[in-house]
Amino acid sequence: MDDPMQSLRLDGQVALVTGASRGIGAAIADRLKALGADVFGTATSESGAAGIAERLGDGRGLVLDVKDGEAIAECIATIGAAASAPTVLVNNAAVTRDQLLMRLKDEDWAEVIETNLTGAMRLARACLRGMLKARSGRIIGISSVVGYSGNPGQANYAAAKAGLAGFSRALAQEVAARNITVNVIAPGFIDTDMTRALDEAQRDRLAESIPLGRLGLPDDIAAAVGWLASPSAGYVTGQTLHVNGGMYMT
C-alpha cells in the first residue's frame, strides 16, 4: 500500500516564506522544511535573518523589506543562485497600524496596504517567472479573520487582508492552466507574541468567543499551509481556508 503521507512531501521544492523569524511564519517555515522542501525565510532585520538561518540552514535567512521592489528581485535572484527558483511562495509578512478611522493617518493606511497587500503582489509576480517555466507552483497568502469579519480600529488591516483574498482569486484564474495554484489561509486568534501581551482576562474573553474554546497555535496554521503546498491539494485553487476554531463560519 502506498504511504498516504507521501502525498504531503515537498521533496525537490524550493519554498520562500516571508516574515519567518517568529510566530506563524517561523512555524510555517519549519513545517515546510520538515516536509522536505528547501526553505528560505525572510525578516526585516539582520538579527531576524540570522535566527532563521540557524533554524533552516546557512544562507536560508534573508533580510527583506517587502515594500522594496528592487530588494525583492535581489532576494529571488539570491535564492535562484543558492538553490533554484521558488516553487512555493508563502506571503506571510505583515504589519499593523491600528487606529479608529477618524484618527487614522494617511501614512499608516499606506504602510499597511503597501506591506500586507502590495508586497504580496510584488513577491507573487517575482516568483511567477520561475513557476511558469516549471509549469508548477503554489502561492499561499496569509490573510486574517479580520479581513472577513471586520474589527474596529483595523480598517487598514482588514482592507489589506480582504484585498489579498480578492487578488488571489484573480491570480488563480490567470495561472491555473500552468498548474500553479493560488490560495489563502485566514487565521483567527493565534497564540503568538501579540496575544501573549494581553492580560489573562482578555485572553479568557478571546477564548470564550471561539467555539473550540482556545486560541489557535502557529502549528495549526503551518499544518494548513503544508497541505495547500503539497501534491494533495493540487486540485484546490482560488480558495480561502478559514482556520479559526469556529469563531467565524462561512
Side-chain angles (χ1 to χ4, degrees), residues 12 51 92 129 139 143 223 244 248:
N92 173 70
R129 185 181 300 275
I139 298 174
S143 180
N244 58 38
Y248 178 82

Side-chain angles (χ1 to χ4, degrees), residues 33-58:
K33 181 180 179 181
L35 291 173
D38 187 357
V39 184
F40 293 77
T42 74
T44 56
S45 67
E46 292 284 354
S47 60
I52 294 169
E54 287 182 11
R55 297 196 336 270
L56 302 181
D58 289 342

